[in-house]
Amino acid sequence: MSHQTTLFHPLLRIVHWLMALAVLTMLFIGVAMVADISAAHSLLLAIHKPLGVAIALLVVVRIGLRRYYGVPAMPASVPGWQQTVAHLTHLALYLLMLAQPLVGWAMLSAGGFPVTIGEGLVLPPLLPVSVESYAVLRSLHSLLAFSLFALILAHLAAALLHGLILRDGVLSSMTGLRRVREQK
């Protein structure tokens, strides 16, 4: 189902901003864990695992909401090639936000580490214990994190371009705040 609108549905906006907060939190927790700059490594890891599962679930929910409610069309002022880049960037963001937690889960499984997401709730391992697989997946998990961070920066830059410079309604469609552009 698709509805023609200039704003994202409120549920999509809520899930978007919840995911933005969760993903950025996750990236910073990951950096703190890897850099070992925190004495609270165990606490960060205890947050990291269930937050990763939550992000994966939110991606699935968000995809379902997008399919059901649809998304606003890009303004006619946005050239076709930019619309294509925006579409591919969003697709890559969704893929990375889904792949990252799955690779993390597989990595921990290969390392023989349980994925505990709550009091007594442990996910089943995705892979058998394998030092080689763990090493490959750990590198892949880091690569995906850097790729996700780079795409988030590009996404943020494009949103700010549309919101602050072009003022074409693209950013306000996700914030829900509409500014009336003055006609001269």
Side-chain angles (χ1 to χ4, degrees):
M1 178 178 277
S2 180
H3 303 103
Q4 284 298 336
T5 180
T6 58
L7 290 175
F8 281 87
H9 188 274
L11 285 175
L12 273 165
R13 292 196 311 264
I14 290 167
V15 172
H16 172 272
W17 294 110
L18 183 60
M19 287 183 68
L21 179 63
V23 169
L24 289 175
T25 299
M26 181 64 94
L27 288 170
F28 286 110
I29 287 173
V31 168
M33 288 180 354
V34 171
D36 203 26
I37 61 175
S38 173
H41 186 272
S42 295
L43 174 63
L44 293 176
L45 191 57
I47 296 169
H48 194 78
K49 292 176 188 180
L51 189 54
V53 172
I55 289 168
L57 292 174
L58 282 171
V59 170
V60 173
V61 167
R62 188 163 168 193
I63 290 169
L65 289 172
R66 279 181 65 102
R67 290 182 58 84
Y68 183 77
Y69 290 110
V71 297
M74 295 284 265
S77 60
V78 178
W81 70 269
Q82 286 181 9
Q83 291 184 32
T84 300
V85 169
H87 176 73
L88 293 174
T89 300
H90 282 106
L91 180 62
L93 282 167
Y94 282 112
L95 290 173
L96 284 170
M97 289 185 296
L98 193 55
Q100 183 68 347
L102 292 174
V103 168
W105 182 5
M107 174 190 73
L108 291 173
S109 298
F113 304 108
V115 179
T116 306
I117 59 170
E119 192 64 36
L121 185 56
V122 180
L123 297 179
L126 290 179
L127 296 174
V129 175
S130 164
V131 173
E132 295 83 14
S133 295
Y134 176 80
V136 169
L137 291 167
R138 183 174 172 132
S139 294
L140 180 59
H141 195 61
S142 295
L143 177 64
L144 292 176
F146 287 123
S147 300
L148 181 57
F149 188 66
L151 270 179
I152 289 170
L153 290 177
H155 181 70
L156 179 60
L160 292 174
L161 171 71
H162 285 280
L164 300 176
I165 297 172
L166 300 176
R167 297 179 185 210
D168 57 8
V170 171
L171 177 61
S172 60
S173 69
M174 183 50 80
T175 63
L177 304 173
R178 299 305 259 163
R179 284 191 194 154
V180 178
R181 191 170 180 189
E182 294 180 342
Q183 301 287 332
K184 292 187 179 186

